[in-house]
Structures are given as structure tokens and as C-alpha cells.
């Protein structure tokens, strides 16, 4: 592939692999110009070292109002341009750190480990319910989605009966192929809902021990954060907290079903769940469109000068398949040590929820095939509705039997 060839972004992925063009680009043109859906262009970065260099360099901005910020779809542009106030995922330092620090304690490994017994119990209960009702089931709807949704609802103090509402609105917000009005409306619905929820919690002040109530008391009341900023933060936690993990559970299960020998090995030795989870994260990289940045200064990446005002797409899904870093990168191997993967990103925005995601995923994969040793898809893999056009890759449904 030559630099002169016009390339358009996004390119189509296969369900279990990033777009095949990325492999050629990593080899021949690791920093390449691509045309975006809106007609602008950006630098597509595909090698591990370069992706990490961009994500770890604060001269690249995540703020959509920075000149050159690359919008990967009209739906995404409409959503990000209408976001008021923004959340810290789209703020640069030092402002970013101020808000992120309000949550550090809550998502620290020590704090999350204290939640692990309750997570294990929840998973046990959900699998028990599936087994009691008998096959068939929708593994995504009945299990994968329920695990992280229930956990994040409990942390935040969101009523269980509201879960279908926010699951539906989150999905609409992340749909890149939708009419731009759809995610904008979904964001407005979420705002209205969360304003009500926060108002109710304020009225009951301090009567419950949940994260929203704590943030109201510790950050909003003393004036460190406005109510609107709290609302935006809660929304980020709701979406970040369930979409990603739910789809990782589904995709990981699909890969294990595709590799029966590895599935058997995991069932026989649940201690393999830790490396299995890292491999699932590396192999699938569910947040497959992560990495939009804008250069605030001239920076050289991989030998290419990137000018102030240029847009950059530092693709973590491509980095996670780089043969310079991972042996046989397109192979799925739950015994490999994949710890250097970038599925949680890198740099100041590296996922704050990763200890929680790991606790949920490790708990799932250490028991799933013990409880359901005969778990199998009830339709051919080719009939699984994959979410190609979603910001977080995954499935819409996963019919199973056992
Ligand atoms: C498998 C599960 C997960 C994956 C793959 C994942 C992935 C990511 C990625 C790639 C980013 C970086 C965004 C960027 O560079 O712009 C991120 C940030 C973030 N994630 Fe996660 N995430 C997961 C689970 C969670 C959970 C469970 C929570 C909530 C508790 C969460 C909350 C967040 C937040 C708040 C940020 C923003 C961090 C910042 O900008 O400083 N994530 N996540």
C-alpha cells in the first residue's frame, strides 16, 4: 500500500479481527493519511510503539473542540459537539486530573477487591437462574449484559428497574451509523433521567451509601463540581461501566467456544482465568475505535512530522495485533502473557475502571464453563448479529443452548 492511495476511514473489520488493511499498514505505512466520513483527513497510526507514543503524549488533545480533532462518523461528531458539560474522558490535563481524582479511591484495586465476593455471588445467581429456566437463552441479554449493569447500578445507587432504559439509551449513543439526531436525542434523554435521579438523591441527602450520594456530599456541596458536571460524570460511569464489560464477556465466550481445547483447559483450571481475560481484551479490543486525538504542537511520530492542528487516530486494536510485541498476534491463546495490551488505552486517560472490569471478567471466566460445560451457540456463528458500527464492538444477541 502506498501513501498516495486514497484510504477512507473506517475500514471494515472481520468480527474477530481489526480491518485486514491494518496489518499491511503496520508493515509499510504505519502513519498514513485517511479520509474521514465528513471529508476531513487524519493520520491513522497502526504500530504499537507509535500508538502508545501518541496516547502517552499530552501534546495530543482529546477535546473535540481542539482544531483538527478527527470525527470518525457524523453521529459521533453530532454527539461530541453537543456535549455540555464535557466529562473528563474528553478533557486535557490539568483539568482532566481534577475530575479523575474525585474517583480514584472508588476504583482502586483495594476498594474493588472488597466488592469481589458480591460480584461472584451475583454471577453465581445469574447462572443459577439461567440453568433453572433451562435452554435456550440469549447469553448476551440474560447474562453478559446483566453482570456489569448490576454492578455499576449498585455502585452508583441507580434503581434496578431503570436498567433497561439506560442500556437502551447507551446503545443509541454509541451507534456510529445512526442518523446524528439519534445519539443526540439519547444523550438528552439520559440528561433528563439523571437530573431527576440526582435531584431525588439530594432530597434524601445522605440516607444511602452510594457513589452519587458521596459525590454530592464531598464534591458538589463544597463547590468543587457543579450538578451538571456530576451528571456528566455519572453518565460516563454508567456507559463505561456496562457496555464495555458486557461485550467483552460475550466476545470472550465466543472465542472460547471457537477454541474447545482452551475452553476445556480453563474449565479444568480456573486459575487460567487471569491470563484468559488479558488475552480476550487484547484479541478483541472491544473499544475498537478508541484513539481520536488532535495535535496541539508539531510532534514527530514514527518518523512522520505531525503538525499542530492535525487529527490523529491511534488505533489500539491495531497495536494489539502488532507482531513486534505479540508472537502470532492473530492467534487466540489464553495461556499467553498479554499484559502489555492497550485495550484499556494508555496515558492519562487509561481506563479508571480496569480493576473493576478485571474483577468482573475474571469472576465470570473462572466459573462459566464449570457451571455450563455444554454451553454452545444455538445458531451458526455467521448468524450472530455483531455490532460493527458501534463505538464499542460486540453483539446485539447471542442465542445459546447447553
Ligand atoms: C472490559 C472493560 C473495559 C474496557 C475495554 C474499557 C476501555 C476503556 C478505554 C479504551 C478507555 C480510554 C479512553 C481514551 O483513551 O480516550 C477507557 C476510559 C475510561 N473507562 Fe473504561 N473500559 C472498561 C471498563 C470500564 C468500567 C467497568 C468502568 C467504570 C467503572 C470504566 C470507566 C472508564 C472511565 C471513567 C474512563 C475515562 C478515564 C479518563 O479519561 O481518565 N471502564 N476505558
Amino acid at each position: 500500500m502506498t501513501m498516495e492511495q486514497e484510504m477512507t476511514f473506517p475500514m471494515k473489520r472481520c468480527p474477530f479481527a481489526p480491518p485486514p488493511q491494518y496489518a499491511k499498514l503496520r508493515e509499510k505505512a504505519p502513519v498514513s493519511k485517511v479520509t474521514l466520513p465528513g471529508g476531513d483527513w487524519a493520520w491513522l497510526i497502526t504500530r504499537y510503539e507509535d500508538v502508545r507514543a501518541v496516547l502517552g503524549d499530552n501534546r495530543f488533545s482529546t477535546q473535540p473542540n481542539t482544531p483538527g480533532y478527527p470525527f470518525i462518523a457524523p453521529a459521533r461528531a453530532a454527539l461530541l459537539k453537543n456535549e455540555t458539560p464535557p466529562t473528563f474522558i474528553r478533557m486535557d490535563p490539568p483539568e482532566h486530573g481534577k475530575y479523575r481524582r474525585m474517583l480514584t479511591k472508588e476504583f482502586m484495586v483495594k476498594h474493588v477487591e472488597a466488592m469481589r465476593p458480591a460480584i461472584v455471588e451475583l454471577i453465581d445467581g445469574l447462572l443459577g437462574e439461567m440453568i433453572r429456566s433451562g435452554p435456550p437463552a440469549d447469553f448476551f441479554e440474560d447474562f453478559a449484559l446483566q453482570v456489569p449493569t448490576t454492578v455499576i447500578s449498585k455502585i452508583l445507587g441507580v434503581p434496578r428497574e431503570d436498567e433497561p432504559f439506560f442500556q437502551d439509551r447507551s446503545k443509541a449513543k454509541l451507534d456510529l451509523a445512526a442518523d446524528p439526531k439519534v445519539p443526540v436525542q439519547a444523550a438528552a434523554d439520559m440528561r433528563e433521567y439523571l437530573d431527576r435521579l440526582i435531584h431525588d438523591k439530594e432530597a434524601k441527602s445522605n440516607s444511602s451509601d452510594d457513589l452519587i450520594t458521596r459525590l454530592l456530599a464531598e464534591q458538589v456541596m463544597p463547590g468543587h463540581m457543579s450538578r451538571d458536571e456530576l451528571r456528566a460524570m455519572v453518565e460516563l460511569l454508567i456507559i463505561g461501566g456496562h457496555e464495555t464489560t458486557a461485550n467483552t464477556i460475550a466476545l470472550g465466550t465466543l472465542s472460547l467456544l471457537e477454541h474447545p481445547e482452551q475452553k476445556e483447559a480453563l474449565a479444568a483450571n480456573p486459575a487460567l482465568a487471569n491470563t484468559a481475560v488479558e488475552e480476550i481484551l487484547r484479541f478483541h479490543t472491544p473499544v475498537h475505535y478508541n484513539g481520536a486525538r488532535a495535535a496541539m504542537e508539531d510532534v514527530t511520530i514514527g518518523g512522520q512530522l505531525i503538525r499542530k492542528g492535525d487529527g490523529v487516530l491511534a488505533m489500539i486494536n491495531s497495536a494489539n495485533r502488532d507482531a513486534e510485541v505479540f508472537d502470532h498476534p492473530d492467534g487466540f491463546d489464553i495461556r499467553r502473557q498479554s499484559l502489555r495490551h492497550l485495550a484499556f488505552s494508555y496515558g492519562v486517560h487509561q481506563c479508571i475502571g480496569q480493576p473493576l472490569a478485571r474483577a468482573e471478567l475474571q469472576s465470570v471466566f473462572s466459573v462459566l464453563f464449570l457451571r455450563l460445560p455444554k454451553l454452545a451457540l444455538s445458531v451458526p456463528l455467521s448468524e450472530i448479529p455483531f455490532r460493527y458500527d458501534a463505538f464499542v464492538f460486540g453483539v446485539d444477541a447471542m442465542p445459546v443452548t447447553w
Side-chain angles (χ1 to χ4, degrees):
M1 198 158 321
T2 64
M3 290 283 292
E4 289 71 45
Q5 272 175 298
E6 175 89 349
M7 286 192 298
T8 55
F9 186 90
M11 300 158 200
K12 192 162 183 334
R13 65 176 284 156
C14 315
F16 291 167
Q21 292 93 327
Y22 287 5
K24 289 191 202 111
L25 289 170
R26 278 195 302 272
E27 208 183 305
K28 303 234 159 66
V31 183
S32 283
K33 279 187 179 179
V34 284
T35 305
L36 299 169
D40 293 336
W41 67 270
W43 296 105
L44 183 71
I45 317 266
T46 46
R47 274 189 191 156
Y48 182 97
E49 288 307 331
D50 297 341
V51 169
R52 211 167 65 147
V54 169
L55 297 174
D57 188 331
N58 291 338
R59 291 173 295 175
F60 289 99
S61 168
T62 50
Q63 296 185 183
N65 59 359
T66 306
Y69 184 90
F71 294 104
I72 59 170
R76 189 95 185 138
L79 180 72
L80 300 188
K81 285 176 185 169
N82 278 290
E83 209 172 44
T84 46
T87 46
F88 61 93
I89 197 167
R90 277 177 285 279
M91 282 178 195
D92 296 332
E95 202 190 7
H96 161 265
K98 174 187 157 190
Y99 294 93
R100 182 169 167 127
R101 277 193 296 277
M102 294 178 184
L103 294 173
T104 329
K105 195 179 69 196
E106 300 285 341
F107 293 101
M108 265 168 26
V109 174
K110 201 171 125 215
H111 199 93
V112 167
E113 283 310 310
M115 292 184 230
R116 205 185 267 255
I119 294 174
V120 170
E121 199 182 317
L122 164 73
I123 291 165
D124 201 49
L126 286 168
L127 290 172
E129 253 168 64
M130 254 175 83
I131 292 165
R132 259 192 309 283
S133 333
D138 179 348
F139 183 81
F140 182 69
E141 192 73 36
D142 298 341
F143 180 71
L145 190 56
Q146 300 313 321
V147 175
T149 302
T150 311
V151 172
I152 198 69
S153 297
K154 179 99 181 28
I155 292 174
L156 291 167
V158 173
R160 297 292 319 267
E161 62 271 22
D162 297 342
E163 288 171 2
F165 165 81
F166 74 65
Q167 287 165 347
D168 175 73
R169 298 291 73 198
S170 301
K171 194 175 152 192
K173 270 193 82 172
L174 298 178
D175 186 352
L176 300 175
D179 182 311
K181 288 193 204 94
V182 173
V184 171
Q185 184 58 48
D189 295 344
M190 282 288 268
R191 272 201 299 275
E192 196 187 309
Y193 163 73
L194 289 173
D195 276 339
R196 229 176 19 244
L197 181 71
I198 291 170
H199 182 267
D200 287 352
K201 288 199 180 285
E202 227 174 345
K204 290 186 199 141
S205 72
N206 295 334
S207 65
S208 55
D209 179 28
D210 60 57
L211 181 54
I212 298 180
T213 305
R214 277 197 295 284
L215 288 168
L216 269 167
E218 291 167 18
Q219 308 295 348
V220 177
M221 296 309 170
H224 306 315
M225 169 161 70
S226 70
R227 273 173 196 73
D228 285 355
E229 286 169 337
L230 170 64
R231 183 196 62 222
M233 185 184 272
V234 171
E235 189 184 351
L236 172 65
L237 291 172
I238 288 182
I239 298 180
H242 85 276
E243 275 283 346
T244 47
T245 314
N247 284 296
T248 309
I249 294 172
L251 293 168
T253 304
L254 280 174
S255 278
L256 286 159
L257 293 177
E258 288 288 289
H259 294 86
E261 177 273 320
Q262 298 193 44
K263 186 196 88 172
E264 301 297 327
L266 180 59
N269 178 13
L272 272 177
N274 291 9
T275 49
V277 164
E278 302 310 318
E279 177 65 348
I280 290 166
L281 287 162
R282 180 196 73 85
F283 187 79
H284 289 288
T285 317
V287 191
H288 60 160
Y289 285 124
N290 188 72
R293 301 288 190 265
M296 295 186 288
E297 289 175 33
D298 290 359
V299 187
T300 300
I301 294 289
Q304 173 66 52
L305 174 66
I306 295 182
R307 292 201 180 276
K308 176 179 174 175
D310 286 355
V312 165
L313 296 162
M315 304 313 295
I316 56 174
N317 57 348
S318 177
N320 281 344
R321 296 295 181 104
D322 190 336
E324 293 287 317
V325 181
F326 304 102
D327 288 338
H328 310 294
D330 294 321
F332 178 77
D333 176 4
I334 61 166
R335 295 175 184 90
R336 110 171 49 223
Q337 303 291 327
S338 310
L339 272 169
R340 292 183 70 201
H341 71 74
L342 300 179
F344 288 120
S345 193
Y346 185 75
V348 294
H349 291 282
Q350 188 171 132
C351 181
I352 198 173
Q354 56 185 295
L356 181 60
R358 286 196 166 106
E360 293 178 22
L361 294 167
Q362 290 165 0
S363 306
V364 165
F365 288 108
S366 27
V367 297
L368 181 62
F369 296 107
L370 283 176
R371 298 290 304 277
L372 291 171
K374 298 207 171 105
L375 187 70
L377 289 181
S378 54
V379 297
L381 183 65
S382 57
E383 284 176 27
I384 295 290
F386 287 102
R387 294 184 187 178
Y388 290 97
D389 292 320
F391 191 75
V392 177
F393 183 68
V395 300
D396 278 328
M398 191 172 149
V400 291
T401 185
W402 58 88

CSV table of all heavy atoms in Angstrom, one decimal, residues 15 53 109 268 272 279 288 326 355 374:
chain,number,residue,atom,x,y,z
A,15,PRO,N,-15.3,-10.1,12.2
A,15,PRO,CA,-15.8,-10.0,13.6
A,15,PRO,C,-14.7,-10.1,14.6
A,15,PRO,O,-14.6,-9.5,15.6
A,15,PRO,CB,-16.8,-11.1,13.7
A,15,PRO,CG,-16.8,-11.9,12.5
A,15,PRO,CD,-16.1,-11.1,11.4
A,53,ALA,N,2.9,5.9,21.9
A,53,ALA,CA,3.6,7.2,22.0
A,53,ALA,C,2.5,8.4,21.9
A,53,ALA,O,2.6,9.3,22.7
A,53,ALA,CB,4.6,7.4,20.9
A,109,VAL,N,-7.7,-0.8,43.2
A,109,VAL,CA,-7.7,-2.3,43.3
A,109,VAL,C,-8.3,-2.7,44.7
A,109,VAL,O,-9.2,-3.6,44.8
A,109,VAL,CB,-6.3,-2.9,43.1
A,109,VAL,CG1,-6.3,-4.4,43.3
A,109,VAL,CG2,-5.9,-2.6,41.6
A,268,ALA,N,-10.9,-26.9,33.5
A,268,ALA,CA,-10.2,-27.8,34.4
A,268,ALA,C,-9.3,-27.0,35.3
A,268,ALA,O,-8.9,-27.5,36.4
A,268,ALA,CB,-9.3,-28.7,33.5
A,272,LEU,N,-6.5,-20.2,35.2
A,272,LEU,CA,-6.1,-19.7,33.9
A,272,LEU,C,-7.0,-18.4,33.5
A,272,LEU,O,-6.7,-17.8,32.6
A,272,LEU,CB,-6.4,-20.7,32.8
A,272,LEU,CG,-5.3,-21.7,32.5
A,272,LEU,CD1,-5.7,-22.7,31.4
A,272,LEU,CD2,-4.0,-21.0,32.0
A,279,GLU,N,-6.0,-12.0,27.5
A,279,GLU,CA,-5.9,-12.3,26.1
A,279,GLU,C,-7.2,-12.0,25.3
A,279,GLU,O,-7.2,-11.5,24.2
A,279,GLU,CB,-5.7,-13.9,25.9
A,279,GLU,CG,-5.7,-14.4,24.5
A,279,GLU,CD,-4.5,-13.8,23.6
A,279,GLU,OE1,-3.9,-12.9,24.0
A,279,GLU,OE2,-4.4,-14.4,22.5
A,288,HIS,N,-12.9,-0.5,20.0
A,288,HIS,CA,-12.1,-0.6,18.8
A,288,HIS,C,-11.8,0.7,18.1
A,288,HIS,O,-11.0,0.7,17.2
A,288,HIS,CB,-12.6,-1.7,17.8
A,288,HIS,CG,-14.0,-1.5,17.3
A,288,HIS,ND1,-14.5,-2.1,16.2
A,288,HIS,CD2,-15.0,-0.7,17.8
A,288,HIS,CE1,-15.7,-1.8,16.0
A,288,HIS,NE2,-16.1,-0.9,17.0
A,326,PHE,N,3.7,-8.9,20.1
A,326,PHE,CA,3.0,-10.2,20.5
A,326,PHE,C,3.3,-11.3,19.4
A,326,PHE,O,3.1,-11.0,18.2
A,326,PHE,CB,1.5,-10.0,20.5
A,326,PHE,CG,1.0,-8.8,21.4
A,326,PHE,CD1,0.7,-7.6,20.9
A,326,PHE,CD2,1.0,-9.0,22.8
A,326,PHE,CE1,0.3,-6.5,21.7
A,326,PHE,CE2,0.6,-8.0,23.6
A,326,PHE,CZ,0.3,-6.7,23.1
A,355,PRO,N,-9.6,-2.1,37.2
A,355,PRO,CA,-9.7,-3.1,38.3
A,355,PRO,C,-11.1,-3.8,38.4
A,355,PRO,O,-11.2,-5.0,38.6
A,355,PRO,CB,-9.3,-2.3,39.5
A,355,PRO,CG,-8.5,-1.2,39.0
A,355,PRO,CD,-9.2,-0.8,37.7
A,374,LYS,N,-21.6,-27.5,28.8
A,374,LYS,CA,-22.0,-27.9,27.4
A,374,LYS,C,-22.5,-26.6,26.7
A,374,LYS,O,-23.2,-26.7,25.7
A,374,LYS,CB,-23.2,-28.9,27.5
A,374,LYS,CG,-22.7,-30.2,28.1
A,374,LYS,CD,-23.6,-31.3,27.6
A,374,LYS,CE,-23.0,-32.7,28.0
A,374,LYS,NZ,-23.7,-33.3,29.1
